[in-house]
């Protein structure tokens, strides 16, 4: 049986994703549930769902990195969100 993955996101970060990264939010949105009023929890139904979300975050962070390896502020925020989730 596949392991259920849970990730917790701040509401402010979810608002940022909704505006700046609708593709990521589209994966998260339907499966978000209130956690404590200032955070929401996302629960994967399968390893494939989790991997799709991880791939999307990874892709967007890589896209936010210039040729010298510097990550933009948006990319840093995405990386921080994933690390904290």
């Amino acid at each position: 049986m596949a392991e259920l993955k849970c990730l917790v996101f701040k509401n402010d970060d979810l608002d940022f994703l909704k505006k700046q990264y609708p593709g990521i939010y589209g994966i998260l949105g339907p499966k978000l549930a209130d956690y404590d009023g200032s955070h929401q929890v996302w629960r994967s139904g399968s390893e494939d769902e989790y991997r799709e979300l991880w791939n999307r975050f990874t892709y967007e962070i890589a896209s936010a990195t210039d040729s010298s390896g510097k990550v933009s502020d948006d990319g840093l925020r995405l990386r921080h969100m994933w690390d904290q989730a």
Side-chain angles (χ1 to χ4, degrees), residues 61-82:
I61 292 166
S63 293
T65 306
D66 68 18
S67 60
S68 69
K70 183 174 185 236
V71 182
S72 72
D73 289 342
D74 285 353
L76 291 172
R77 186 168 182 183
L78 286 173
R79 189 166 59 190
H80 182 73
M81 271 188 262
W82 185 260

Side-chain angles (χ1 to χ4, degrees), residues 2-14:
E3 181 181 335
L4 181 68
K5 305 264 189 205
C6 296
L7 301 172
V8 178
F9 294 92
K10 293 178 187 176
N11 288 339
D12 290 344
D13 287 338
L14 291 170

Side-chain angles (χ1 to χ4, degrees), residues 9-58:
F9 294 92
K10 293 178 187 176
N11 288 339
D12 290 344
D13 287 338
L14 291 170
D15 289 340
F16 168 76
L17 289 174
K18 190 184 290 188
K19 291 174 188 164
Q20 298 296 114
Y21 297 95
I24 292 175
Y25 189 81
I27 297 168
L28 288 171
K31 297 189 136 224
L32 289 170
D34 188 51
Y35 183 69
D36 67 1
S38 62
H39 295 81
Q40 294 201 30
V41 65
W42 177 84
R43 292 179 178 90
S44 68
S46 69
E47 184 65 31
D48 289 340
E49 286 178 342
Y50 178 81
R51 190 179 326 269
E52 179 184 5
L53 185 61
W54 181 83
N55 285 341
R56 191 58 188 239
F57 265 89
T58 302

